[in-house]
Amino acid sequence: MAQHSFPRDSATRPAAGRARLAIVTAEPRPGVLAPLLKRLRRARPWLAERTVVLDAAAEADLADVRLVLFVLPPALEARDPAAWAGARRIALKADTHWIPVLNRPGGARTTRRLGGGGPDSREGHPPGSLFARLHHRKRAFVLNGEVMNGELLLSASGVFTPSASIFAGRIGKRRLRREARAADQAYFDAAPEATPALAQAARGHGLDFASVEFCMTPQGQARPTRIEPIGELGGTLALAARRRGVKARIERLLDRYAEALEAVFLAELEAGVPGRSAA
């Protein structure tokens, strides 16, 4: 993450007039938005004070805005076409006034499932091992080019939904679930894999902040199978939450999300381009 010389406490905020960060959302608000705003208020109060939340369906006032981030609910185009159209108008208005846009609407209208299920992830692993017995994918979070490991997706059937997960209820034997939790924790604690490939995949779908599910090919390359904006903090991530330490994972995600967002905003303040705000 880029380092900046600006102080980060609320008493000595960066001086850049009334420069603001605009977060555009719509109802129902994605589950990540409220905790992200709370994290900004707690850890980066100077940025929280400069943040304004805009309704995608309303006329947007972009006066003094230096950066726009879209945090939209899934399938908004189908669920609320008016809000979707409004989000697109806000993005175009930002473009007109040279305001950078993150997670541009149109690049990620819905969850992207890519190229089928990919290769059988069990192949090539030692017989009897966890990864030879269970289908598996990896989930990582892309945060403006940085990558953070999220969780292992493990399934006996090859279907990667919460109900089919090895962590759901009593699916699988106790020993297998214990082994699966250990592998899941090891992945979360490990260094991120294939950072350039995952960041490029997210960027190719118009996303700066994204959740990417992927498998590794026998050649050691990351193959994304699902790309979507970071939205709900539930699904498979919420399964066996206490034993998997999910609360700590979400805390880390929110910290990294806030840090990455702050870095982009600070870079815009450093750029100091005049006349970039819009009424």
Side-chain angles (χ1 to χ4, degrees):
M1 196 71 65
Q3 297 297 314
H4 298 270
S5 58
F6 291 118
R8 300 189 178 189
D9 60 90
S10 58
T12 53
R13 295 184 297 273
R18 296 176 296 167
R20 298 188 299 167
L21 162 68
I23 298 179
V24 182
T25 191
E27 298 296 340
R29 294 189 174 189
V32 73
L33 182 58
L36 176 61
L37 293 172
K38 183 177 180 180
R39 184 55 48 92
L40 290 178
R41 289 192 293 270
R42 189 177 77 186
R44 290 166 171 81
W46 76 268
L47 182 56
E49 290 178 10
R50 292 170 178 258
T51 298
V52 57
V53 177
L54 303 178
D55 183 352
E59 185 66 27
D61 177 10
L62 299 184
D64 302 311
V65 169
R66 295 289 289 273
L67 181 68
V68 176
L69 168 68
F70 285 87
V71 182
L72 300 174
L76 180 64
E77 183 180 19
R79 179 188 292 122
D80 191 341
W84 177 257
R88 298 291 298 273
R89 285 194 298 271
I90 293 172
L92 289 174
K93 184 174 183 178
D95 291 342
T96 300
H97 296 278
W98 299 90
I99 303 171
V101 173
L102 302 176
N103 277 22
R104 177 181 298 275
R109 298 183 181 186
T110 58
T111 295
R112 302 299 176 94
R113 293 176 176 84
L114 310 173
D120 189 333
S121 56
R122 297 171 298 178
E123 295 180 357
H125 294 279
S129 69
L130 177 70
F131 293 135
R133 286 177 287 165
L134 296 177
H135 297 270
H136 50 280
R137 297 284 185 270
K138 298 175 180 180
R139 183 186 184 196
F141 299 107
V142 175
L143 304 160
N144 196 44
E146 300 289 332
V147 171
M148 171 189 153
N149 292 348
E151 62 174 331
L152 273 183
L153 305 171
L154 298 163
S155 166
S157 65
V159 176
F160 297 96
T161 61
S163 61
S165 170
I166 196 68
F167 301 120
R170 294 286 181 180
I171 295 177
K173 297 180 180 180
R174 182 179 300 177
R175 180 177 177 182
L176 181 63
R177 294 199 304 273
R178 185 165 58 245
E179 192 177 349
R181 286 197 300 270
D184 174 55
Q185 187 64 48
Y187 169 65
F188 177 70
D189 292 335
E193 299 176 285
T195 293
L198 297 182
Q200 182 177 359
R203 199 176 305 115
H205 287 79
L207 294 173
D208 305 277
F209 295 86
S211 168
V212 181
E213 292 177 16
F214 67 101
C215 59
M216 298 300 294
T217 67
Q219 295 74 33
Q221 297 177 326
R223 178 176 176 175
T225 57
R226 179 183 176 111
I227 299 176
E228 60 188 349
I230 299 172
E232 301 305 315
L233 299 177
T236 55
L237 185 60
L239 297 173
R242 182 179 60 82
R243 293 191 176 190
R244 296 172 66 205
V246 167
K247 182 178 179 180
R249 299 188 193 202
I250 291 176
E251 291 292 312
R252 184 185 297 184
L253 171 61
L254 293 172
D255 281 337
R256 295 286 298 277
Y257 199 138
E259 180 184 0
L261 188 57
E262 179 188 55
V264 182
F265 189 71
L266 287 172
E268 288 305 310
L269 295 188
E270 284 184 321
V273 178
R276 187 173 274 179
S277 60

